[in-house]
Amino acid sequence: MEPHLRLVTGSIDRVFTGRQPWQIVAITTTTVLGSIWLCQVLFQEESLYRRAKKKVFKLARLIPAVRRRVDAEIEKINDGFIKDISQTGNYYTELPHDSMGQAEILKKVDEYLGLGHYRWKEGFISGAVYYYNPELIKLVTEVYGKASYTNPLHPDVFPGVCKMEAEVVRMTATLFHGGPAACGTMTTGGTESIMMACKAYRDYANDQRGITKPNMVLPVTAHTGFDKAAKYLGIYTKVVPVNGDTTEVDIAAMERAINRNTVMLVGSAPNFPYGTMDDIEAIAALGRKYNIPVHVDACLGGFLIVFMKRAGYPVRPFDFSIPGVTSISADTHKYGFTPKGSSVILYSEKVYRHYQYTVTTEWPGGVYGSPTVNGSRAGGIIAATWATMMNFGLDGYVEATKRIIDTTRYIEQELRAIKNIFIFGTPATSVIGIGSRDFDIFLLGGELSNLGWNLNSLQFPSGIHICVTYMHTEAGVADKFIQDVRSKVALIMKNPTKPVEGKMAIYGVAQSVPDRELIGDFTKCFIDSMYYTPVDQKAAK
């Protein structure tokens, strides 16, 4: 007999030897009930450690002294956010009594759009604005104006807009090697595209497999839109680690996380933090093995990665050419260069898209069906997206992709040559993650911010990244960035233990705060500040 079995049987003997029958029944009943309770505690989707930690901090907040300290810190943070946002001039808090003339309205719009100090037109920001060309803006402005009153919720009234949407979806599906059955819809952005895939797979699993407690398995680097979708849709997220060197998802850990309630697997092509691409072929193999749908999130770099081979860059398989990939999300409003508020969600088969739809058949207002979250949708965005894609064409996108990837590879190569910093993994498309083992990387982020650069801050581990756009391909921009990084790293290494100050210090402090609910409260204060208007100011004159 194995040692651990001998230990168990010995314990049983000691418990029951010499007991009366009623005592044995009582002990057995107590043990069984206790075991059931323990199983309920231990085998919930969320780990015992995470739930215990949340409970400890929640109880700590009930202590008056702790509560007062927390409230004081939240108020302090909130006051800081309000102070920053309130320095943008007068606010309109009431409707003007008389209509404002068109000339004055346009003047005000220009004034509002001129707020902010980052030089985004010169390529000093990471991502956010992926292309800027006055001629293209003129085109999409005119197209949007023509279609501004259209609404695809009424296909009988606006069949032309519906046709444009269908063509955008079909053209995108073709780029991702979708077959004749491939289909999809347009959405308002990557988060909605992700949410639609999650909704489709949740409902599909419930209908086809009877799953009522769904979970999705995804890398820790997967976009936070999946977490948002999970919160809206009641899906538990089983987050798995990535390889520390490649920053690609750990496939073995992903397989271990799969259980009978798993409704979808997720891979990124590429991910947001580091721009690296998960092994989609391996994830798809898991999908086939366990008969689970696989979603590829290509929201960020989808409209680069589909053109990279044509641009002369090798790329691993990532799309519908891989058996087992059942859906892909790709943002047209990023490297598709369309106006903001445009994305595409694709499926390998119509059966999945049907579960994305929301249909009501018993409403007194009639039978109602809508393909996405929104009922009414902006036909102008659909028309402007269609126009932008037609304006670029295949050759235009390939040329833009080549310029962007060329620039990314050049920046990556030069950064790797700088001592005291390193690059996370191997960037697949346009994002370069930067870290340091010799100093707090947020020192570099702060120094670059002082020069006008706006980069993205990363956590767990600390890092910063630059998302290279078409703006960075303009003459001198990449060299300027490399030169500034090189000079600031040299400056930092003169005093590498210097503490981080200013806004960048918040990122470092945030990682060290164990009560993540507190960080959530701070984040809510920041979001609140975006809706700030003075309560004691009458309408601006």
Side-chain angles (χ1 to χ4, degrees):
M1 185 181 292
E2 294 296 327
H4 63 278
L5 292 179
R6 287 200 300 269
L7 179 63
V8 171
T9 55
S11 298
I12 292 174
D13 289 340
R14 285 193 297 275
V15 169
F16 289 110
T17 299
R19 302 284 185 179
Q20 295 296 319
W22 66 268
Q23 291 176 312
I24 294 175
V25 170
I27 291 171
T28 303
T29 303
T30 303
T31 303
V32 169
L33 292 175
S35 298
I36 292 173
W37 174 83
L38 186 61
C39 287
Q40 289 175 336
V41 171
L42 292 179
F43 297 106
Q44 290 184 39
E45 294 286 11
E46 190 173 34
S47 72
L48 179 62
Y49 171 74
R50 287 181 62 184
R51 281 179 282 127
K53 189 169 73 169
K54 286 182 181 179
K55 191 68 174 178
V56 167
F57 287 121
K58 193 167 186 176
L59 291 173
R61 285 189 177 211
L62 297 177
I63 301 172
V66 174
R67 179 73 258 175
R68 286 194 297 271
R69 179 65 182 273
V70 169
D71 288 344
E73 288 299 317
I74 291 174
E75 185 176 355
K76 181 180 177 181
I77 291 288
N78 187 62
D79 289 345
F81 288 144
I82 294 300
K83 181 179 178 181
D84 288 342
I85 201 70
S86 63
Q87 298 174 4
T88 56
N90 293 328
Y91 284 77
Y92 288 93
T93 58
E94 297 177 1
L95 279 172
H97 290 288
D98 298 322
S99 64
M100 186 181 290
Q102 290 189 12
E104 187 177 359
I105 291 173
L106 293 174
K107 181 181 177 181
K108 283 289 182 182
V109 168
D110 287 339
E111 176 187 321
Y112 283 26
L113 294 180
L115 296 174
H117 65 278
Y118 285 110
R119 296 150 59 184
W120 59 268
K121 290 183 181 180
E122 301 172 46
F124 272 64
I125 62 171
S126 171
V129 180
Y130 293 83
Y131 190 87
Y132 181 76
N133 183 299
E135 288 300 313
L136 179 60
I137 290 174
K138 181 179 179 182
L139 171 65
V140 297
T141 299
E142 186 169 349
V143 170
Y144 189 96
K146 289 177 180 291
S148 60
Y149 283 93
T150 64
N151 183 355
L153 180 63
H154 305 282
D156 52 339
V157 181
F158 306 109
V161 169
C162 293
K163 181 182 179 183
M164 290 181 189
E165 179 177 12
E167 291 180 358
V168 167
V169 170
R170 186 68 255 172
M171 288 188 290
T172 305
T174 300
L175 290 172
F176 284 93
H177 295 104
C183 58
T185 69
M186 288 183 65
T187 67
T188 57
T191 295
E192 188 184 2
S193 288
I194 288 169
M195 185 175 292
M196 290 295 88
C198 294
K199 192 266 185 191
Y201 293 141
R202 181 200 66 176
D203 292 357
Y204 174 82
N206 178 261
D207 188 43
Q208 298 293 320
R209 297 163 55 194
I211 293 177
T212 57
K213 295 182 178 180
N215 69 63
M216 66 174 92
V217 179
L218 67 164
V220 67
T221 50
H223 194 274
T224 188
F226 289 98
D227 185 62
K228 186 174 184 178
K231 285 180 169 65
Y232 272 88
L233 299 170
I235 304 173
Y236 178 72
T237 55
K238 302 190 76 173
V239 179
V240 297
V242 296
N243 180 285
D245 295 323
T246 66
T247 68
E248 297 175 20
V249 67
D250 183 330
I251 297 298
M254 176 169 271
E255 183 167 19
R256 288 194 298 270
I258 294 171
N259 63 21
R260 64 181 182 178
N261 288 324
T262 301
V263 301
M264 65 186 291
L265 307 178
V266 176
S268 303
N271 62 54
F272 174 84
Y274 313 116
T276 53
M277 186 170 78
D278 293 318
D279 188 343
I280 303 302
E281 288 182 294
I283 297 173
L286 292 179
R288 296 193 302 271
K289 180 178 180 180
Y290 295 100
N291 193 28
I292 299 172
V294 172
H295 179 80
V296 176
D297 176 24
C299 285
L300 175 57
F303 271 78
L304 286 177
I305 203 166
V306 292
F307 303 114
M308 283 179 63
K309 280 189 177 180
R310 294 181 177 90
Y313 284 95
V315 61
R316 291 184 297 176
F318 61 90
D319 58 15
F320 290 127
S321 63
I322 305 173
V325 171
T326 53
S327 60
I328 300 173
S329 52
D331 286 358
T332 42
H333 74 196
K334 290 187 173 72
Y335 292 100
F337 308 133
T338 69
K340 294 300 177 185
S342 169
S343 179
V344 176
I345 173 65
L346 302 170
Y347 298 98
S348 59
E349 301 176 59
K350 287 183 180 178
V351 63
Y352 299 119
R353 184 173 66 173
H354 284 175
Y355 285 98
Q356 173 182 305
Y357 298 162
T358 300
V359 178
T360 304
T361 60
E362 307 301 322
W363 182 40
V367 175
Y368 178 88
S370 63
T372 62
V373 170
N374 296 302
S376 292
R377 291 186 291 153
I381 288 293
I382 293 172
T385 298
W386 179 90
T388 302
M389 293 177 70
M390 301 302 283
N391 178 71
F392 271 90
L394 182 62
D395 290 345
Y397 279 122
V398 171
E399 180 187 354
T401 296
K402 179 169 176 52
R403 289 186 60 172
I404 292 168
I405 302 301
D406 283 350
T407 301
T408 304
R409 296 292 187 267
Y410 171 64
I411 294 175
E412 177 192 352
Q413 174 184 313
E414 294 299 311
L415 291 181
R416 287 188 185 277
I418 299 175
K419 292 182 179 181
N420 309 116
I421 62 172
F422 66 87
I423 304 301
F424 288 98
T426 301
T429 55
S430 59
V431 173
I432 306 170
I434 308 168
S436 177
R437 299 180 183 90
D438 301 321
F439 61 87
D440 190 328
I441 195 65
F442 295 136
L443 282 171
L444 179 58
E447 291 290 345
L448 292 173
S449 178
N450 293 337
L451 295 178
W453 295 100
N454 178 251
L455 305 184
N456 298 87
S457 297
L458 314 176
Q459 61 177 352
F460 309 127
S462 297
I464 56 178
H465 87 210
I466 180 170
C467 179
V468 178
T469 69
Y470 197 86
M471 322 286 280
H472 297 102
T473 69
E474 299 297 334
V477 177
D479 285 324
K480 171 65 173 169
F481 177 72
I482 294 164
Q483 176 186 340
D484 286 346
V485 171
R486 185 180 291 116
S487 65
K488 290 304 180 182
V489 169
L491 176 65
I492 291 169
M493 288 307 298
K494 293 179 180 180
N495 184 14
T497 59
K498 176 184 175 182
V500 182
E501 298 176 348
K503 291 183 179 180
M504 295 305 297
I506 296 175
Y507 294 100
V509 171
Q511 292 177 85
S512 65
V513 176
D515 186 357
R516 307 313 293 173
E517 187 175 336
L518 185 60
I519 302 302
D521 288 340
F522 293 161
T523 305
K524 291 171 186 176
C525 289
F526 175 74
I527 297 173
D528 283 344
S529 72
M530 294 190 295
Y531 295 92
Y532 165 81
T533 53
V535 294
D536 58 350
Q537 177 183 300
K538 295 296 184 181
K541 301 297 183 182

